Amino acid sequence: MALIVQKFGGSSVADAQKIQNICSIIARTYDAGNNVVVVLSAQGDTTDDLIAKASEMNPHPSKREMDMLLSTGEQVTVALASMCMERMGYPSVSLTGWQAGIRTSEDHGCARIRKVAGGALRRELDKRRIVFVAGFQGIDRYDEITTLGRGGSDTTAVALAAALKADACQIFTDVDGVYTADPRIEPTAQKLEEISYDKMLEMASGGAQVLHDRSVALAKRYGIVLEVRSSFTGGPGTLVRQIPAIGTAG
Ligand code: ADP
Ligand code: ASP
Ligand code: MG
């Protein structure tokens, strides 16, 4: 049985209807005979709203308390999505980052994933449950909640795909693939069928939001092929993978 990791970003889970939409995508993947691990972001502008709420309390909150606050956004989404899945008649469970075994460095606000203890996830998958994991968060060696930096749910998805040796890692978002430039800013940008890890890393490090730069670095290190595709329209997206240089015979 294949294992597929699917990640859906904030605009793909912004309201109840959108959560129902992604649950249909997940159900199709499950019905095709796959095990499915789903990483979700906070809904819509939730993370920005939480940052604004924090500043009402304290213009300089501690990073520890910020992580405590921001990690709640993703937890809301996974619980709601799992409830939706249950209602559709599918076995499912939602997990926080720490319940999913994601251990990180102690750098609040920009923690790095050090290890994924995959036991709990595997036990849930063995029960044929769809497992929803809160993106963007983990726990450090002092059992403090950490977050991975803005856009970090992509990195959660790749880390889980690597740890569980997943057969595919699909990043669903609000555009239908990676373009030569941000298609919302540059209308003549072209969609790419595929892009190398190195080129994608260059774009992500240069600020292209479509993938978190650390997720691309991690995918390259573990040879995880990423498929960036739309939550709203069908069809193939963009593959991010090793692209061998054209042969230079002679
Ligand atoms: P998600 O919430 O799904 O993680 P993001 O907002 O983080 O989505 O990333 C998707 C956005 O990235 C797109 O809406 C698009 O405006 C932007 N983007 C920037 N550069 C690119 C690019 N080269 N190709 C595709 N999208 C890009
Ligand atoms: N919710 C976090 C953010 O808005 C993480 C993510 O969406 O990947 O940056
Ligand atoms: Mg993102």
Side-chain angles (χ1 to χ4, degrees), residues 71-223:
S71 63
T72 64
E74 272 68 12
Q75 291 184 35
V76 169
T77 324
V78 290
L80 291 175
S82 186
M83 289 174 194
C84 181
M85 218 73 234
E86 281 172 359
R87 183 166 178 205
M88 289 166 66
Y90 288 83
S92 80
V93 66
S94 64
L95 301 176
T96 62
W98 70 263
Q99 287 178 310
I102 298 172
R103 315 293 310 201
T104 73
S105 68
E106 293 131 52
D107 309 296
H108 284 294
C110 58
R112 284 178 177 268
I113 296 176
R114 294 272 185 245
K115 178 181 152 184
V116 179
L121 279 163
R122 283 197 196 89
R123 278 193 297 281
E124 297 296 351
L125 292 169
D126 285 347
K127 292 181 215 157
R128 261 302 264 165
R129 286 183 170 158
I130 293 166
V131 189
F132 288 94
V133 179
F136 169 65
Q137 57 176 267
I139 194 169
D140 72 13
R141 63 186 166 140
Y142 302 111
D143 290 348
E144 295 284 4
I145 292 176
T146 53
T147 63
L148 309 179
R150 299 304 303 267
S153 297
D154 298 328
T155 300
T156 305
V158 177
L160 293 183
L164 298 169
K165 299 193 173 24
D167 299 282
C169 184
Q170 301 174 332
I171 308 289
F172 287 86
T173 185
D174 57 4
V175 282
D176 62 356
V178 178
Y179 283 67
T180 49
D182 187 340
R184 296 189 197 287
I185 295 171
E186 184 46 72
T188 61
Q190 304 282 309
K191 183 177 149 189
L192 301 166
E193 222 168 275
E194 61 176 10
I195 182 170
S196 70
Y197 293 121
D198 289 336
K199 189 80 196 126
M200 188 64 239
L201 195 53
E202 207 178 285
M203 284 172 81
S205 307
Q209 220 185 323
V210 64
L211 283 174
H212 192 226
D213 54 357
R214 282 188 193 162
S215 73
V216 183
L218 207 57
K220 181 181 176 183
R221 180 163 3 130
Y222 289 97

